Amino acid sequence: MSNTSQQRLHQITNQMGVNGVQSAFGAVQQAPEDPLANNVKFGLMAAYRKDEDSKKVDLGIGAYRDNNAKPWVLPVVKKADDRLRDDPNLNHEYLPIAGLADFTTASQKLVLGDDSQAISEKRVVSLQTVSGTGAVHLGGLFLSKFYTPSNSESKAIHVSSPTWANHNQIFSNVNLPIKTYPYFSKETKGLDFDGMVSSLKSATEGSIILLHACAHNPTGVDPTQDQWKQISKIMKEKSLFPFFDCAYQGFASGSLSTDAWAIRYFVEQGFELVICQSYAKNFGLYGERAGAFHFVTSPGSHAQQTTSRVGSQLAILQRSEISNPPAYGARIASLILNDKDLFAQWEEDLRTMSGRIKEMRKALRSKLEEKKTPGTWNHITDQIGMFSFTGLKEAQVQKLREKYHVYMTKNGRISMAGLNTNNVDYFADSVDAVVRETSK
């Protein structure tokens, strides 16, 4: 049989069931590969695990690692976990649809501040979600269904270029049109503030603007407080709707209040907005999927009625999607958030994580500059949080992987948490060699 005939037979066989009946899903296309997926044969994580080289370095994982490249269970989480498991009243009953009330109440205060006027005026409604991803999805679904600006072109969400890849997938799935605004400057490896501002000014009035509250993913580049004020002023003038994604509060700078500054400022300016909150990074509760979604309405006599109506619709959406959020991670977080001593220890654990990452940034920059590696490297310490956009090109990333067993996403983003005192020298040497080789 010829190769052409064999290929055709293979195509037909793939589209046929065991009884020779064509599948109703024969036209379904293979999805694009998720470069970080655990279960994709050629994904970044799978390739790293398969690599047997003793010097291999994993800079792709979006999770904190200690100085020995091991997952770190926060000491305060261990304490809370022990206390929780020793509670004779612990059970596995369903939580309410909106989640654990002590958790959502504490989450409001964490992100908006203990003295928040929005909270005291009952202008906030909150639901527990399946971590930050679930919060973004719930927010997108709610806006897709209920946001009705006077101009239909406004019903689009503008995301930064680049942004967390899952933003695009989530908003596409809930049928929210997606537009982008400039954010990262390849020249300076910092914020393209002029481009961002220009794009906001030209956006259709009433458009939805997704903003990373701190530790922008994937660039690690954040606006300054003065820049946030300018962004707020423009958005107010254009009646743009803020959609905050807050995945790194306390993890970025080590200060919970510093990392929440932008959100609190926007609320103080009277914006109606939504906030998506994750406890994966700052509690290390990656697999427990603890998060919250907050809707904040603007001040006025309508406020409590608005939050009541919005809350009722959010509950219906939540019920149809997950019925009830997962309990265990929320119970751990709630215990810590509502206990003065545990909260203080958590703040110390946050300083430990953020401090180690800052030290790795300093070390990497210092080593590259000592070697006089071609290019400028100040952006390594100018950026903040878990990720850094190195400025390495795709071909350089590929060479680092093939020759030096260093794994990162092809856009040059690295997880700073993957660096430690045992591998930062090797990584700097590898980058130096590749940059010099490809600069010739």
Side-chain angles (χ1 to χ4, degrees):
M1 185 182 293
S2 69
N3 287 339
T4 303
S5 299
Q6 288 178 333
Q7 290 171 357
R8 179 58 184 151
L9 179 61
H10 183 66
Q11 289 174 347
I12 294 171
T13 303
N14 281 345
Q15 293 178 357
M16 304 291 278
V18 292
N19 296 319
V21 179
Q22 185 171 343
S23 169
F25 302 99
V28 174
Q29 300 295 310
Q30 182 71 31
E33 179 184 310
D34 182 339
L36 291 177
N38 284 302
N39 59 346
V40 176
K41 182 178 180 182
F42 300 108
L44 190 65
M45 293 174 70
Y48 172 80
R49 287 169 179 164
K50 189 178 179 181
D51 192 329
E52 296 180 356
D53 192 276
S54 61
K55 291 184 178 180
K56 66 180 182 179
V57 180
D58 179 11
L59 302 180
I61 184 66
Y64 181 78
R65 294 291 182 261
D66 65 14
N67 195 54
N68 295 311
K70 300 295 184 184
W72 191 57
V73 180
L74 275 62
V76 72
V77 168
K78 286 184 179 179
K79 276 189 181 180
D81 194 25
D82 288 342
R83 189 183 299 181
L84 192 59
R85 284 187 284 107
D86 288 342
D87 183 353
N89 296 315
L90 179 66
N91 59 55
H92 300 285
E93 295 296 300
Y94 290 122
L95 291 182
I97 292 172
L100 187 66
D102 287 347
F103 169 77
T104 53
T105 299
S107 295
Q108 285 183 2
K109 293 177 181 177
L110 184 72
V111 74
L112 297 175
D114 288 329
D115 57 351
S116 169
Q117 231 178 328
I119 295 175
S120 64
E121 294 171 358
K122 300 187 183 345
R123 294 192 282 116
V124 189
V125 61
S126 305
L127 277 77
Q128 182 187 330
T129 58
V130 183
S131 200
T133 304
V136 172
H137 173 75
L138 182 62
L141 186 61
F142 173 76
L143 292 175
S144 178
K145 193 173 177 67
F146 294 104
Y147 187 56
T148 54
S150 55
N151 186 336
S152 60
E153 290 186 13
S154 300
K155 196 165 181 174
I157 187 160
H158 297 240
V159 302
S160 61
S161 177
T163 192
W164 181 46
N166 214 18
H167 282 148
N168 294 297
Q169 296 169 359
I170 292 168
F171 297 130
S172 294
N173 285 346
V174 298
N175 298 313
L176 265 184
I178 301 170
K179 297 183 180 181
T180 61
Y181 58 85
Y183 191 84
F184 183 74
S185 168
K186 291 183 179 179
E187 288 71 33
T188 66
K189 301 179 185 68
L191 179 64
D192 180 6
F193 185 65
D194 290 341
M196 180 182 182
V197 164
S198 177
S199 184
L200 292 178
K201 287 180 177 178
S202 63
T204 306
E205 187 170 320
S207 295
I208 307 162
I209 311 295
L210 187 136
L211 300 164
H212 297 233
C214 63
H216 182 275
N217 181 2
T219 69
V221 174
D222 287 349
T224 65
Q225 289 187 3
D226 284 341
Q227 288 172 331
W228 274 121
K229 289 178 179 179
Q230 293 179 61
I231 292 167
S232 169
K233 184 174 183 292
I234 293 165
M235 289 183 63
K236 196 76 170 176
E237 291 170 352
K238 296 280 294 186
S239 298
L240 302 176
F241 186 89
F243 188 118
F244 275 102
D245 190 353
C246 183
Y248 298 93
Q249 186 182 356
F251 187 97
S253 70
S255 165
L256 291 161
S257 58
T258 296
D259 292 346
W261 187 89
I263 292 174
R264 294 176 185 180
Y265 181 78
F266 272 64
V267 172
E268 288 169 5
Q269 301 311 300
F271 278 93
E272 190 164 56
L273 52 80
V274 297
I275 306 161
C276 302
Q277 189 178 21
S278 169
Y279 288 107
K281 307 296 193 298
N282 55 10
F283 271 110
L285 293 172
Y286 302 100
E288 302 300 340
R289 314 312 291 147
F293 174 79
H294 310 281
F295 171 88
V296 184
T297 193
S298 51
S301 58
H302 63 86
Q304 291 188 37
Q305 291 80 7
T306 299
T307 54
S308 176
R309 292 195 302 270
V310 168
S312 70
Q313 294 294 345
L314 286 169
I316 288 175
L317 295 177
Q318 177 107 310
R319 170 66 171 151
S320 67
E321 297 253 323
I322 63 169
S323 284
N324 315 81
Y328 204 77
R331 284 175 174 153
I332 290 174
S334 180
L335 200 56
I336 296 168
L337 292 172
N338 289 292
D339 183 289
K340 183 179 178 181
D341 293 336
L342 291 179
F343 190 92
Q345 183 175 348
W346 178 46
E347 289 183 300
E348 186 59 38
D349 291 347
L350 286 169
R351 286 189 285 270
T352 296
M353 291 190 289
S354 62
R356 196 187 81 75
I357 288 176
K358 288 174 185 176
E359 287 304 310
M360 287 302 100
R361 287 186 180 277
K362 291 177 185 176
L364 178 59
R365 176 184 175 180
S366 174
K367 293 177 189 303
L368 291 171
E369 290 180 341
E370 284 173 9
K371 293 176 178 295
K372 299 187 179 345
T373 304
T376 58
W377 301 99
N378 59 290
H379 60 280
I380 299 294
T381 53
D382 290 343
Q383 295 166 7
I384 192 171
M386 179 171 289
F387 300 114
S388 176
F389 246 30
T390 59
L392 295 170
K393 297 179 174 60
E394 186 173 342
Q396 295 171 323
V397 170
Q398 187 67 22
K399 190 170 288 290
L400 279 166
R401 176 172 165 175
E402 292 173 352
K403 190 172 181 179
Y404 297 98
H405 308 273
V406 174
Y407 292 79
M408 67 182 80
T409 55
K410 63 183 181 182
N411 59 9
R413 186 203 79 170
I414 62 172
S415 172
M416 295 303 303
L419 291 177
N420 53 62
T421 56
N422 303 306
N423 65 18
V424 67
D425 284 328
Y426 175 74
F427 177 62
D429 290 343
S430 303
V431 170
D432 181 72
V434 166
V435 170
R436 290 184 186 280
E437 182 179 338
T438 54
S439 298
K440 293 176 182 177

